[in-house]
């Protein structure tokens, strides 16, 4: 598996554990206040990251590009900042709203970079380094 695909799954599974912990916290306490943090940890973290990782696993030539490496760091930084700031925002710490907004835009940037990767042409076999 390409390094970036493995990195995506390693990151995604950690965020899923955190997302499930938030779900359990809500279910056990009966207070569903942090629902959006739970939702976005699981969907932006686990589900979307696993899809990105799966795409890179299926397209190993694209996974080697500098843009793919950068895409991982930009998207992951956005999610890693957005989820805790969303959690704190939904606990009532409204000061976290700007950070939530900025990290959302960083996530969007990561998604746009992924779109560029999806639409880019695969490197021709001759352009690939020799085995
Ligand atoms: C053991 C694991 C989990 C527990 C205990 C749990 C618990 C909860 C709870 C208590 C809510 C609030 C329900 C409400 O107030 O309407 C919720 C909402 C939600 N959860 Fe989970 N969850 C778990 C796993 C997941 C996973 C793995 C995903 C996604 C991959 C997920 C996606 C969602 C979504 C999208 C909502 C919002 C649904 C809505 O808008 O009504 N959950 N979860
Ligand atoms: C940076 C990207 C995103 C932003 C800024 C965003 C923003 C929001 C906002 C403001 C809400 C309403 C929350 C509330 O009712 O208090 C929401 C709900 C929701 N979003 Fe997102 N979203 C993003 C990405 C996604 C993605 C990629 C998915 C699915 C793969 C998703 C799934 C959901 C779901 C299921 C809900 C309803 C459950 C809930 O209230 O948390 N979102 N989102």
């Amino acid at each position: 598996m390409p390094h970036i695909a493995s990195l995506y799954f390693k990151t995604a599974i950690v965020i899923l554990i955190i997302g499930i912990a938030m779900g359990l916290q809500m279910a056990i306490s009966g207070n569903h206040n942090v629902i959006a943090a739970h939702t976005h940890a699981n969907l932006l973290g686990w589900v979307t990251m696993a899809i990105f990782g799966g795409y890179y696993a299926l397209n190993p030539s694209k996974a080697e590009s500098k843009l793919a490496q950068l895409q991982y760091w930009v998207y992951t930084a956005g999610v890693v900042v957005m989820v805790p700031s969303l959690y704190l925002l939904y606990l009532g710490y409204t000061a976290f709203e700007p950070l939530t907004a900025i990290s959302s835009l960083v996530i969007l940037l990561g998604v746009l970079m992924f779109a560029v990767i999806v639409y880019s042409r695969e490197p021709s076999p001759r352009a690939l380094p020799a085995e």
Side-chain angles (χ1 to χ4, degrees):
M1 191 191 284
H3 174 66
I4 205 79
S6 163
L7 208 53
Y8 256 129
F9 277 95
K10 284 178 178 164
T11 312
I13 192 64
V14 171
I15 300 177
L16 176 61
I17 294 166
I18 295 167
I20 286 180
M22 285 190 248
L24 287 170
Q25 179 208 319
M26 289 192 293
I28 293 165
S29 67
N31 182 351
H32 296 180
N33 55 352
V34 292
I35 184 167
H38 163 75
T39 303
H40 293 88
N42 285 329
L43 297 177
L44 286 167
W46 170 242
V47 176
T48 306
M49 283 188 174
I51 293 171
F52 288 165
Y55 181 85
Y56 287 129
L58 291 169
N59 295 277
S61 61
K62 289 188 179 182
E64 301 309 327
S65 74
K66 284 266 183 302
L67 184 60
Q69 316 285 318
L70 193 63
Q71 191 273 335
Y72 167 82
W73 289 108
V74 170
Y75 183 80
T76 302
V79 174
V80 163
V81 174
M82 187 204 183
V83 169
S85 57
L86 205 50
Y87 184 87
L88 291 165
L89 184 60
Y90 275 73
L91 282 183
Y93 298 97
T94 49
F96 282 91
E97 195 164 356
L99 192 59
T100 311
I102 292 165
S103 52
S104 299
L105 294 175
V106 174
I107 290 172
L108 174 63
L109 179 64
V111 169
L112 293 176
M113 289 166 78
F114 189 74
V116 171
I117 292 164
V118 168
Y119 277 94
S120 66
R121 292 171 64 162
E122 298 229 13
S124 71
R126 269 178 299 159
L128 290 173
E131 287 288 317

